[in-house]
Amino acid sequence: MRIRAQAALLTVRKHDGGRDCLRLLDGWVAENDDHMSAYTESQQIWDELGRIAPDWKTDTQRASIHKLNFAVTRRQFATIAIAACAAMASVGVGWLLHAPTYKTAVGEQKLARLADGTRIILNTDTVFKVRYSRGERRIEMVQGEALFDVAHDPDRPFIVAAAQEYIRAVGTSFVVRRDNERVEVTLLSGVVDVTRKDNGLDKVSLSPGQRFRRADNQSVELDRPRLEVVTAWRNGQLILDETPLRAAIAEMNRYSTKDIHLDTQAVDGTRLSGVFRVDETRRFAETVAGIHGLTFTETESGMNLSDNPG
């Protein structure tokens, strides 16, 4: 309970800002696994409280907590108490009632830093949950795409569960994309094993540069794509290399709430190459229309590409 209370206090103090606070937090978390686990719990509770009561930041009356020599607001003191109580309540029923959730909106990208030093870059419209324990580090990939730069920890494997696939690593870098039941895993560095179930069976071991793909109950596809194409989204780009036109449009639509619709079969079978900005959907649509002699029209609900009349 003492460790959880310290974690709650440090979490609150971190969000007040200041490099000294961040250095203190980093040092405390690095001391042992118990500190790291407690901080992960506390950070999730902080996030949840922020969603429930976003107006609490207006309270500026200050109180003193002498044990760690911090001054905090009454709002923050309440946060500490709530976080500590929630942590205590979790004992015996799981470390949290629900896992910390990270997400991005359509067109948004975000960097998440986990307590163990792992960095995760979320692409557009991505949702995953973090379930850390003393024995393993687990991510539940609900949807979307993310690049994982995993902190090395041989005693606690890092597992990403996506649909029926389980990606297991220790310290490595890889990209996971989940579209419904279709899962892609591209290994950038290190080693990962992909299994169909969380039991080590049906294992596929990837080497750097290799990509694993499987949809539903279909067979595994392995290839070696250009890594700059797979990771171009980190720089806000979409790189197309002889990509079927309809697939190219589907890729661009991932980044916009206003979809492009191809209302013609005249260009079926054509392919598109080039580098495009993911935040320039309209320009992309106009470029496609110009290349293929299509008519571009825009409505409130989307953009249409159709046969040129006459």
Side-chain angles (χ1 to χ4, degrees):
M1 294 305 102
R2 177 181 58 84
I3 290 175
R4 287 191 170 94
Q6 289 177 338
L9 180 56
L10 287 166
T11 298
V12 170
R13 197 67 182 92
K14 164 193 167 184
H15 290 277
D16 266 358
R19 293 182 179 179
D20 291 342
C21 301
L22 291 176
R23 282 195 294 267
L24 178 60
L25 174 61
D26 289 344
W28 187 82
V29 168
E31 287 179 4
N32 57 59
D33 287 348
D34 289 341
H35 287 187
M36 187 277 295
S37 297
Y39 168 66
T40 301
E41 296 172 3
S42 183
Q43 179 61 50
Q44 190 271 339
I45 295 169
W46 173 276
D47 291 341
E48 290 298 315
L49 288 170
R51 297 186 187 99
I52 295 169
D55 59 344
W56 62 4
K57 295 181 180 180
T58 58
D59 185 352
T60 57
Q61 184 172 345
R62 306 196 70 79
S64 177
I65 299 179
H66 299 290
K67 186 66 177 177
L68 290 178
N69 197 27
F70 288 147
V72 298
T73 67
R74 189 163 44 181
R75 166 186 64 84
Q76 294 164 343
F77 188 83
T79 303
I80 298 166
I82 294 170
C85 290
M88 286 187 286
S90 71
V91 176
V93 293
W95 68 271
L96 280 175
L97 293 178
H98 58 280
T101 300
Y102 294 80
K103 62 179 65 178
T104 52
V106 172
E108 181 185 15
Q109 294 177 352
K110 183 186 299 182
L111 171 63
R113 299 177 185 270
L114 304 188
D116 65 335
T118 293
R119 290 161 40 95
I120 306 176
I121 306 175
L122 292 74
N123 198 6
T124 177
D125 195 22
T126 295
V127 180
F128 66 77
K129 298 179 180 181
V130 179
R131 297 184 183 276
Y132 272 23
S133 67
R134 293 185 181 182
E136 69 175 23
R137 298 168 290 170
R138 181 178 291 256
I139 303 293
E140 293 184 6
M141 194 81 171
V142 179
Q143 66 184 45
E145 183 175 27
L147 190 156
F148 297 86
D149 188 4
V150 179
H152 184 72
D153 186 348
D155 296 324
R156 291 201 310 161
F158 190 93
I159 298 170
V160 179
Q164 299 184 62
E165 312 297 345
Y166 291 81
I167 302 99
R168 180 181 295 264
V170 175
T172 187
S173 182
F174 57 95
V175 178
V176 178
R177 176 172 171 177
R178 177 180 179 181
D179 299 318
N180 296 319
E181 296 302 305
R182 181 178 179 83
V183 176
E184 296 185 2
V185 183
T186 305
L187 181 60
L188 306 181
S189 65
V191 178
V192 298
D193 294 330
V194 186
T195 59
R196 190 59 168 171
K197 297 183 181 297
D198 195 14
N199 56 15
L201 300 178
D202 193 19
K203 183 173 71 173
V204 177
S205 296
L206 301 183
S207 59
Q210 200 168 26
R211 177 171 60 186
F212 167 105
R213 292 190 288 184
R214 178 156 49 191
D216 296 326
N217 292 316
Q218 298 178 13
S219 59
V220 174
E221 298 177 18
L222 295 175
D223 64 356
R224 289 186 174 274
R226 291 168 51 195
L227 295 184
E228 65 269 24
V229 174
V230 175
T231 61
W233 56 268
R234 294 184 302 169
N235 301 316
Q237 295 179 329
L238 174 64
I239 300 179
L240 303 175
D241 184 9
E242 289 295 308
T243 305
L245 181 57
R246 290 190 182 275
I249 291 173
E251 282 297 299
M252 183 58 77
N253 284 344
R254 296 174 62 208
Y255 298 91
S256 175
T257 56
K258 205 169 188 177
D259 283 353
I260 302 168
H261 303 282
L262 185 60
D263 297 331
T264 177
Q265 296 181 352
V267 292
D268 282 358
T270 61
R271 295 176 178 269
L272 184 64
S273 296
V275 181
F276 303 90
R277 295 290 307 174
V278 298
D279 57 355
E280 295 180 348
T281 308
R282 191 178 195 277
R283 178 176 293 183
F284 173 85
E286 290 175 332
T287 299
V288 171
I291 292 173
H292 296 286
L294 302 174
T295 297
F296 170 82
T297 56
E298 185 172 7
T299 66
E300 291 185 0
S301 60
M303 291 164 276
N304 298 311
L305 302 177
S306 58
D307 291 326
N308 199 337

